[in-house]
Amino acid sequence: SQQGEEDPQALSIQEGENATMNCSYKTSINNLQWYRQNSGRGLVHLILIRSNEREKHSGRLRVTLDTSKKSSSLLITASRAADTASYFCATDLTGNQFYFGTGTSLTVIP
Amino acid sequence: NAGVTQTPKFQVLKTGQSMTLQCAQDMNHEYMSWYRQDPGMGLRLIHYSVGAGITDQGEVPNGYNVSRSTTEDFPLRLLSAAPSQTSVYFCASSYHNSPLHFGNGTRLTVT
């Protein structure tokens, strides 16, 4: 399977703290994307990082990509209760094939 | 602009029954795909399409058929439902090299 693996599987933090989750994958990629899923809903795109990029920011989100280690990390700074959700990385192999990891369940305690 | 629309939202089938899950998008995306989501398994790619008339298999294609006669529609057919197909199904679409847009999912139970 091309599927990535997120680590940790579950994360519980206090509001205001930073949350870091990691993604490892198996093969060369075109780009890597992070998605959020609130309970019972579809996935929402957060950020896309291309294979020739090393770091990307969007608001309170920071994503890094290390293609030599086949890994990525998502940092959410100053977390809020509303950030409680599951977070998934997805590797895009060709621009048209997306494979998802197993997800990290984040709980932010008010 | 409706985005990606999936119907039905919920469905209960008996083993051996067939049904079609509908997916439509109004963004003129060339790429469409179907995923299933099971607890602890993340999303697994079933089938995908890079344009009308073109489909290909993903990670878990067995038991499912697809077709893509138009850019807008990408139905997923279960020919003979099995309890192992109990899952939440998501349809997604995108432009090439761009983020996926997801529908709200279909929760399928096979008894």
Side-chain angles (χ1 to χ4, degrees):
Chain A
S1 168
Q2 308 289 344
Q3 191 180 43
E5 293 276 338
E6 280 95 341
D7 171 60
Q9 289 189 342
L11 181 60
S12 183
I13 59 174
Q14 297 288 330
E15 203 165 30
E17 293 181 337
N18 296 342
T20 300
M21 48 205 90
N22 304 295
C23 170
S24 59
Y25 56 92
K26 297 178 182 176
T27 65
S28 296
I29 60 171
N30 191 47
N31 64 63
L32 186 142
Q33 303 177 26
W34 285 89
Y35 290 81
R36 185 183 74 201
Q37 183 181 36
N38 290 93
S39 181
R41 306 298 300 270
L43 279 75
V44 174
H45 176 257
L46 295 175
I47 199 163
L48 180 154
I49 187 165
R50 303 198 186 278
S51 59
N52 61 353
E53 297 175 312
R54 292 297 167 257
E55 188 170 313
K56 207 156 182 185
H57 296 257
S58 177
R60 292 184 297 113
L61 305 180
R62 172 178 170 257
V63 168
T64 61
L65 178 65
D66 187 334
T67 53
S68 66
K69 295 181 180 177
K70 293 187 171 55
S71 67
S72 174
S73 67
L74 170 68
L75 169 67
I76 305 173
T77 60
S79 62
R80 306 166 181 168
D83 295 328
T84 294
S86 291
Y87 292 81
F88 295 88
C89 67
T91 50
D92 177 6
L93 303 187
T94 63
N96 290 310
Q97 291 184 62
F98 299 80
Y99 292 90
F100 282 79
T102 50
T104 292
S105 176
L106 174 65
T107 301
V108 181
I109 303 165
Chain B
N1 192 338
V4 179
T5 303
Q6 288 185 239
T7 56
K9 287 186 169 55
F10 301 95
Q11 183 71 50
V12 179
L13 291 178
K14 290 185 174 12
T15 297
Q17 287 185 318
S18 63
M19 79 158 295
T20 299
L21 279 64
Q22 302 291 346
C23 176
Q25 52 94 8
D26 61 359
M27 297 171 281
N28 203 32
H29 288 162
E30 63 265 21
Y31 176 85
M32 296 186 76
S33 54
W34 278 102
Y35 291 86
R36 60 176 289 173
Q37 184 175 31
D38 303 296
M41 298 291 290
L43 278 80
R44 290 183 291 170
L45 181 62
I46 304 172
H47 286 284
Y48 65 98
S49 168
V50 299
I54 306 168
T55 64
D56 209 342
Q57 296 180 349
E59 299 171 273
V60 288
N62 292 340
Y64 307 95
N65 277 356
V66 291
S67 59
R68 184 98 179 267
S69 56
T70 67
T71 299
E72 294 79 19
D73 300 298
F74 191 45
L76 178 72
R77 297 184 188 84
L78 283 70
L79 301 178
S80 179
S84 61
Q85 293 178 305
T86 293
S87 188
V88 181
Y89 291 84
F90 288 99
C91 179
S93 71
S94 74
Y95 292 117
H96 183 70
N97 265 338
S98 296
L100 290 168
H101 296 254
F102 280 87
N104 284 328
T106 294
R107 189 174 296 272
L108 175 68
T109 301
V110 182
T111 61

